[in-house]
Amino acid sequence: MNETVLEKARRYEAENGKKIPKESRPVFHLNPYVGWMNDPNGFSWYDGKYHMFYQYHPYSSQWGPMHWGHAVSEDLLHWHHCPAALAPDQPYDEAGCFSGTAITMPDGKQLLVYTGVHKEEKEDGTTIDIQKQCVAIGDGLNYEKYENNPVLTVADLPKGGRKEDFRDPKVFRGKNGTYYMIAVNRDETEGGQVLLFQSQDALHWNYVSKVAENHNRLGLMWECPDLFSMEDKDVLVLSAQEMLPEGLEFHNGFGTFALIGSYNEKTGQFKEETIQSLDYGLDFYAPQSILTPDGRRVMIGWMQNWDTVAPPQMNTRWAGQMSLPRELTMKNGKIYQNPVREILAYRCESPVCEERIICDEEIEIQGINGRVVDMTVDVEAENLSDIYHRFAIQFAKNDRFYTSISFRPTESVLRIDRKFSGSRRGIIHQRRSRVEHENGKIRLRLIIDRYSVEIFVNDGEQVLSAVMQTELSADRITFVASGAVKMKVCHYHLKEE
Ligand code: FRU
């Protein structure tokens, strides 16, 4: 019998994934068993485990016809790879199974809702992608595509909606038992819009309303919507293509932000009050979130974005990784993001904690080094009448390479810079963000996991994420000050097994 497209992918990954040495992968960040990964998909709690699916092209370390990769975890940090869940094997999804959601059905089955893409030939002989929503039903390991797919097509779009950009369904169940789907679409002005659909059985859907419209204000097309409540607010998370920078905001081209406001279930409309960027580093896009069984809102994004994807230079046979899972909380109408508390269990027993005054020098502290690290640094001005000019931490460092995070209190600017991280690609390697402070006081928590760093600023007020292609032997950490800085550091190695 001929092998199916899914069987071929499963065989390929089983044969090739095991050849990739464990040491060449991050410890806590989900990465593809083999090949390419982008967006998280179907992030869920099902059958006693966390499930993460992802945009996946097993056959190369470049984007290609999208499959859904699959992994499970008990603590959100150590992931076990499962066989690929979906492959582009039907006429309606032969060009790819794009991003979507997973939801548990009343009969205990898991429903995957995804975007099927196929190519349509135009009169001039060129082709365009046609996008529509499809479902597959399974048991946490194997999934069968629904015989009546697709469940939503371009015919269901409101007037002016483009058929080549209709994707990324996020499905949730209302208190009244109705299933709701929000999906993104491009309107006739090139701008993104979020559309709402509803269904009684998650199989038969109809259009309800426009939840939000971009009007070309925040980028052009929007991707990967997420909608949830926190405290007394509702939050609509979106990732936008082609954003224009405003001050120190939205520098990534492809960036992720939260609209914070209120969602009216009756009208299906979102009223925005404030907007907040979710990452000020280089690499974060298309996140999904879940409510954990113990009631935490946890979000994971793709730790990359379409403008920082350059041809891979590391010869690893895997490309792409997820961000650390972040616990979201809301304080005074602002979202705070911190690493999931599960990471505390992986801190080694003996931290190095020290207080130092550093003045116009670069110092190294014995025992503070490594590439799998959880380190918190508090700094403030040693002399209030003469606030320091600059403080920096350099890490993943050897004689040739380093990545740094630096703060200039007189400008209130924090900067991440991986120019010297060993990248041979001429892409942007630096980002800045504005951090308000008193007397140069700032708290930086760095989580380094071999090939990435995530910096949580002032207990999660901001995050800056960046992948690094630096060789693992570059494991020094130094602290640099111009002016006089009072510094308190607490450094843990994280267990690598
Ligand atoms: C976002 C995205 C989605 C799409 C997927 C394709 O990164 O462009 O909109 O579903 O990636 O891989």
Side-chain angles (χ1 to χ4, degrees), residues 38-39 55 63 66 98-99 167-168 223-224 285-286 302 306:
N38 56 287
D39 310 355
Q55 290 288 280
W63 191 87
M66 282 290 110
F98 278 16
S99 289
R167 59 179 176 272
D168 305 343
E223 304 188 294
C224 300
Y285 198 68
W302 174 36
W306 293 109

Side-chain angles (χ1 to χ4, degrees), residues 252-470:
N252 273 326
F254 288 76
T256 299
F257 54 84
L259 301 179
I260 302 170
S262 56
Y263 174 64
N264 183 329
E265 271 186 30
K266 290 204 185 83
T267 61
Q269 280 165 347
F270 190 88
K271 194 158 156 278
E272 167 192 336
E273 290 162 19
T274 53
I275 170 163
Q276 185 183 337
S277 294
L278 290 179
D279 201 286
Y280 287 90
L282 293 140
D283 298 304
F284 188 79
Y285 198 68
Q288 292 200 339
S289 74
I290 57 165
L291 210 51
T292 58
D294 59 0
R296 291 173 288 157
R297 175 64 52 186
V298 171
M299 180 176 79
I300 296 186
W302 174 36
M303 198 160 33
Q304 189 85 268
N305 87 55
W306 293 109
D307 279 346
T308 54
V309 171
Q313 90 190 37
M314 288 194 311
N315 188 19
T316 51
R317 298 194 69 194
W318 62 267
Q321 49 180 312
M322 294 300 165
S323 73
L324 210 64
R326 303 173 178 181
E327 266 180 51
L328 307 189
T329 48
M330 187 166 272
K331 250 189 274 172
N332 303 325
K334 269 201 82 179
I335 297 172
Y336 281 68
Q337 309 174 72
N338 281 293
V340 281
R341 61 195 68 169
E342 282 81 349
I343 195 137
L344 301 180
Y346 296 99
R347 283 176 164 182
C348 68
E349 278 97 50
S350 41
V352 177
C353 295
E354 292 224 5
E355 278 188 52
R356 290 282 181 102
I357 311 279
I358 322 176
C359 187
D360 294 321
E361 62 188 324
E362 174 171 6
I363 66 156
E364 215 160 339
I365 297 176
Q366 209 190 353
I368 295 192
N369 55 26
R371 286 290 286 271
V372 189
V373 163
D374 180 354
M375 175 172 80
T376 301
V377 181
D378 284 289
V379 296
E380 62 184 294
E382 160 63 3
N383 182 348
L384 291 189
S385 60
D386 182 18
I387 291 184
Y388 66 92
H389 178 62
R390 179 174 177 269
F391 170 78
I393 308 169
Q394 298 186 351
F395 48 92
K397 179 175 165 95
N398 61 12
D399 293 345
R400 205 158 177 208
F401 304 127
Y402 66 90
T403 293
S404 69
I405 181 82
S406 60
F407 187 52
R408 289 177 192 264
T410 47
E411 296 167 19
S412 302
V413 166
L414 185 67
R415 175 202 293 257
I416 186 165
D417 194 337
R418 61 157 188 224
K419 218 187 289 82
F420 302 111
S421 64
S423 168
R424 293 173 191 271
R425 302 288 168 231
I427 57 174
I428 297 280
H429 289 303
Q430 172 270 115
R431 288 278 176 249
R432 290 176 299 162
S433 75
R434 178 162 297 280
V435 178
E436 300 308 332
H437 65 95
E438 266 171 48
N439 303 322
K441 220 170 161 171
I442 189 169
R443 169 173 292 170
L444 302 171
R445 180 171 176 199
L446 277 68
I447 308 273
I448 302 171
D449 184 7
R450 291 192 180 145
Y451 297 107
S452 70
V453 63
E454 285 153 287
I455 299 161
F456 297 83
V457 184
N458 291 339
D459 300 312
E461 209 173 21
Q462 287 184 14
V463 193
L464 296 92
S465 307
V467 297
M468 313 179 283
Q469 301 213 348
T470 320

Side-chain angles (χ1 to χ4, degrees), residues 212-224:
E213 289 174 86
N214 188 3
H215 300 301
N216 296 345
R217 185 175 56 113
L218 298 160
L220 295 177
M221 175 63 185
W222 283 343
E223 304 188 294
C224 300

